[in-house]
């Protein structure tokens, strides 16, 4: 909170029309972020500011087949021209005032034929807005690396790897691209300026790879990562339930403790979830989640969420039938903000902002757009122990 918009160093000539445009855009974004921070601090329910983070869900075909993936077979692929035609005018004013645009979704974004064009578009139109890109690193081509590392925008690159060794990667991601991925990561690390490109190594914790977590920290440090982010696997379908560390809590706690020791020894930042089974007083008191004030997630077909862990909005609340402002201050966003301020709603089962909820089964399960009977069926099936 309280971050400002610094335009990264570029070759733009001082005093040129483009230079003046960059400065004006950055000033407007800074003002919006300041107001957004103030409204969050005041716990406003209806906001005059627009979100700091805008998540553009970019769905793509994926070359991996990750065991923990939420992707179904009915996701529409992202096409920049279609997105601009249907949602560009609605979302552009908010994007211009944002701190960060998150460019990721189901599948491998950088594998899209449009990937280069998408990065060029956001670099050109919103050069002052930080870009967050998630990738499995197989498509980090020299041209993509150049677009990320050129200095025209700041970037956060999340490398979704989940394993330190090829045999574990094959189990987790069900493809054999380990050597190619290592080569691409090294090229990215060599090309980047750390002031403008921050690299995170992502590790989704499951029963299949949890023993590798401490070695993953060591691997990330050797490769030059700025940060390791690890989190519990969310269950999207009942047949994935045995991947959940909810069924392997003692081992999860042991590996998290070991990972923390390794990270401290190596001096690398580790973002990790709370451990299981601690006494209530050990968990910090839950905080008011920032995301319903800070973030707007939009899917490829216009549906909206405040965060990736939230269930779903009513189907009638989407960008195809409502304006951005009608959604941002609409009935669902207002209810979420009100409930969170009151310590209710999704906060009760959110281990990110309510750490003690890690012990609640419901905090490990995601349900979206399913009939009630299917939700009940999957819920009961998932409660069955291995």
């Amino acid at each position: 909170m309280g971050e400002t918009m610094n335009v990264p160093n570029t070759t733009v000539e001082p005093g040129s029309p483009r230079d003046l445009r960059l400065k004006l855009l950055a000033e407007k974004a800074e003002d919006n972020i300041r107001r957004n921070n103030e409204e969050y601090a005041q716990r406003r329910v209806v906001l005059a500011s627009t979100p700091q983070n805008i998540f553009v869900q970019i769905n793509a075909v994926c070359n991996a087949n990750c065991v923990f993936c939420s992707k179904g077979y009915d996701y529409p692929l992202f096409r920049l021209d279609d997105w601009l035609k249907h949602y560009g005018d609605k979302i552009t004013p908010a994007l211009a005032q944002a701190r960060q645009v998150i460019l990721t979704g189901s599948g491998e974004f950088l594998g899209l034929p449009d990937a280069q064009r998408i990065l060029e578009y956001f670099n050109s139109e919103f050069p002052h807005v930080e870009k967050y890109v998630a990738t499995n690193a197989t498509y980090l081509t020299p041209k993509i690396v150049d677009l990320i590392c050129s200095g025209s925008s700041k970037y956060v690159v999340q490398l979704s790897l989940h394993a330190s060794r090829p045999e574990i990667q094959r189990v987790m991601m069900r493809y054999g691209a380990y050597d190619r991925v290592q080569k691409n990561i090294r090229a990215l690390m060599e090309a980047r300026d750390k002031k403008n490109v921050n690299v995170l190594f992502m590790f989704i914790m499951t029963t299949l790879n949890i023993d590798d977590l401490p070695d993953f920290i060591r691997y990330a440090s050797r490769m030059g990562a700025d940060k390791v982010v690890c989190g519990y696997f969310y269950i999207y379908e009942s047949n994935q339930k045995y991947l959940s560390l909810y069924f392997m809590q003692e081992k999860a706690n042991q590996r998290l403790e070991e990972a923390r020791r390794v990270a401290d020894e190596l001096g690398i930042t580790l973002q990790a979830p709370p451990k299981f089974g601690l006494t209530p007083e050990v968990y910090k008191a839950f905080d008011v989640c920032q995301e319903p004030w800070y973030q707007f997630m939009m899917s490829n077909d216009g549906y909206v969420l405040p965060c990736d862990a939230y269930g779903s909005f009513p189907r009638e609340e989407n960008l195809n039938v409502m304006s951005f402002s009608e959604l941002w201050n609409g009935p669902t966003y207002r209810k979420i903000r009100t409930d969170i301020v009151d310590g209710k709603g999704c906060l009760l089962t959110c281990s990110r902002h309510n750490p003690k909820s890690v012990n609640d089964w419901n905090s490990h399960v995601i349900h979206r757009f399913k009939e009630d009977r299917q939700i009940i069926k999957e819920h009961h099936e998932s409660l069955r122990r291995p």
Side-chain angles (χ1 to χ4, degrees), residues 205-207 232-233 235 241-250 252 276 357-365 382-386:
M205 300 160 51
T206 74
T207 55
Y232 293 119
F233 160 69
I235 298 169
K241 66 182 177 181
Y242 298 130
L243 295 174
S244 174
L245 288 165
Y246 187 84
F247 298 115
M248 203 180 281
Q249 297 184 12
E250 183 177 356
F276 289 101
S357 76
V358 69
N359 300 310
D360 182 345
W361 169 253
N362 292 295
S363 71
H364 299 269
V365 181
S382 298
L383 287 174
R384 294 169 60 189
R385 291 269 174 177

Side-chain angles (χ1 to χ4, degrees), residues 58-61 77-79 108-116 118:
I58 298 182
N59 294 328
V61 173
L77 297 184
F78 184 92
R79 292 178 173 81
E108 176 50 42
F109 155 44
L110 296 182
L112 282 173
D114 256 3
Q116 182 176 318
I118 293 166

Side-chain angles (χ1 to χ4, degrees), residues 103-150:
L103 302 172
T104 186
S106 294
E108 176 50 42
F109 155 44
L110 296 182
L112 282 173
D114 256 3
Q116 182 176 318
R117 265 190 76 218
I118 293 166
L119 293 180
E120 288 171 343
Y121 169 76
F122 282 98
N123 280 352
S124 173
E125 295 302 311
F126 312 101
H128 59 299
V129 179
E130 181 179 79
K131 312 328 185 266
Y132 188 112
V133 172
T135 174
N136 63 28
T138 51
Y139 290 97
L140 279 175
T141 63
K143 181 58 180 177
I144 293 293
V145 168
D146 182 61
L147 285 168
I148 290 171
C149 299
S150 64

Side-chain angles (χ1 to χ4, degrees), residues 149-166:
C149 299
S150 64
S152 60
S153 281
K154 286 191 173 183
Y155 271 83
V156 176
V157 181
Q158 174 193 303
L159 299 180
S160 300
L161 304 173
H162 319 298
S164 69
R165 300 192 296 276

Side-chain angles (χ1 to χ4, degrees), residues 237-239 241 361 365 367 370-384:
E237 302 291 345
S238 58
N239 61 1
K241 66 182 177 181
W361 169 253
V365 181
H367 291 297
K370 296 179 181 178
E371 295 180 0
D372 288 344
R373 63 181 180 178
Q374 178 66 18
I375 292 174
I376 294 169
K377 177 178 180 290
E378 288 199 358
H379 178 73
H380 285 297
E381 284 181 357
S382 298
L383 287 174
R384 294 169 60 189

Side-chain angles (χ1 to χ4, degrees), residues 57 59-60 70-78 106 237 299-301 303 315 368-370:
Q57 184 178 7
N59 294 328
S70 65
K71 183 174 173 62
Y73 296 96
D74 57 348
Y75 283 76
L77 297 184
F78 184 92
S106 294
E237 302 291 345
S299 73
N300 203 26
D301 47 5
Y303 291 102
R315 284 191 172 272
R368 288 191 187 131
F369 296 141
K370 296 179 181 178

